[in-house]
């Protein structure tokens, strides 16, 4: 039998979502633990092991995700507290230690550069995972660097991030509208920051110079 006219099938509820604000592609994996320890003897093993399934997320993308169904875990571990953790690996960086995402809050882990990548000259960087509540139930996990820029001016500004004192490569340029908050890409979290007002009504040769302090 078919569905009656006007019937709408309910979409399954997905309790978590991940937003990538690192400025680079990242991969994540879900880990279900009990009693603060990895299940099946996984504690202390490398997060790059093939026992984990990594999911790719592009810069600026938000994707829903979920953990193992509660029903399965309830029958297997009735006497244990189930903890949901997230493993994250940013492109050009080693995987960070897992973070528990059951509670709203701001958490951070140190990421070491992948010495086989273009970021090998960079020092360690702090990866922030901010868990917030969307609506009444879904948790949004925003992954970003520890540095955010907030434009509290009435003008749009251009920001130049220069890493040449610690890393070879070209500076990055960002545009911040009035009232906007930008998460600085992870690779530029320790860069020198230059700012100037941006008036697009002028020709580029008449733009303001970047501040030199």
């Amino acid at each position: 039998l078919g569905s009656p006219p006007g019937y709408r099938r309910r979409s399954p509820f997905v309790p978590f979502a991940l937003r990538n604000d690192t400025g680079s592609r990242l991969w994540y994996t879900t880990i279900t633990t009990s009693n603060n320890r990895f299940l099946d003897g996984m504690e202390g093993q490398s997060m790059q092991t093939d026992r984990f399934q990594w999911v790719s997320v592009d810069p600026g993308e938000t994707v829903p995700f979920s953990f193992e169904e509660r029903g399965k875990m309830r029958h297997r571990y009735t006497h244990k507290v189930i903890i949901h953790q997230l493993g994250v690996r940013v492109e050009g960086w080693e995987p960070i230690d897992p973070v528990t995402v059951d509670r709203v809050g701001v958490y951070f882990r140190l990421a070491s550069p992948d010495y086989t990548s273009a970021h090998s000259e960079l020092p360690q960087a702090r990866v922030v995972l901010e868990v917030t509540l969307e609506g009444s139930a879904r948790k949004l996990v925003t992954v970003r660097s520890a540095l955010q820029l907030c434009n509290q001016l009435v003008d749009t500004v251009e920001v130049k991030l220069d890493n040449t004192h610690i890393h070879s490569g070209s500076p990055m340029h960002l545009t911040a509208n009035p009232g906007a908050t930008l998460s600085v890409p992870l690779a530029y979290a320790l860069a020198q920051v230059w700012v100037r007002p941006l008036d697009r009504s002028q020709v580029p040769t008449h733009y303001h110079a970047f501040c030199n302090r």
Side-chain angles (χ1 to χ4, degrees), residues 34-213:
S34 64
N35 294 348
N36 295 317
R37 300 186 63 181
F38 285 110
L39 298 179
D40 302 325
M42 291 192 294
E43 183 178 17
Q45 293 193 22
S46 170
M47 288 298 298
Q48 291 181 315
T49 177
D50 293 337
R51 298 183 66 177
F52 297 101
Q53 181 177 0
W54 296 92
V55 180
S56 175
V57 184
D58 291 329
E61 186 180 7
T62 300
V63 297
F65 70 93
S66 58
F67 292 85
E68 186 175 358
E69 293 181 7
R70 292 181 179 271
K72 295 180 181 179
M73 297 302 298
R74 182 172 62 250
H75 292 299
R76 289 167 54 189
Y77 301 101
T78 56
H79 62 290
K80 295 182 179 180
V81 176
I82 303 303
I83 299 171
H84 301 99
Q85 293 187 316
L86 202 63
V88 173
R89 175 166 58 92
V90 181
E91 187 172 31
W93 303 82
E94 297 288 344
I96 63 173
D97 292 334
V99 176
T100 301
V101 294
D102 288 316
R103 294 184 177 182
V104 171
V106 180
Y107 312 93
F108 73 90
R109 296 289 187 270
L110 288 177
S112 298
D114 181 354
Y115 293 105
T116 63
S117 72
H119 297 158
S120 60
E121 302 172 5
L122 294 174
Q124 284 186 320
R126 183 173 293 182
V127 179
V128 173
L129 287 86
E130 184 174 359
V131 183
T132 56
L133 199 61
E134 283 191 326
S136 60
R138 189 168 89 154
K139 292 185 177 69
L140 174 65
V141 183
T142 302
V143 185
R144 57 175 175 83
S145 72
L147 180 60
Q148 290 186 300
L149 301 177
C150 180
N151 180 11
Q152 297 184 350
L153 302 176
V154 296
D155 300 312
T156 299
V157 298
E158 181 182 1
V159 181
K160 182 174 75 171
L161 304 171
D162 190 350
N163 251 357
T164 53
H165 63 295
I166 57 174
H167 175 62
S168 58
S170 302
M172 170 175 278
H173 292 258
L174 302 174
T175 300
N177 294 321
T181 299
L182 303 178
S183 295
V184 173
L186 189 62
Y188 289 86
L190 297 177
Q192 294 178 335
V193 181
W194 306 72
V195 181
R196 68 178 177 183
L198 184 60
D199 185 355
R200 296 190 182 277
S201 64
Q202 298 179 346
V203 295
T205 54
H206 292 169
Y207 281 178
H208 294 281
F210 282 105
C211 62
N212 57 3
R213 293 185 180 180

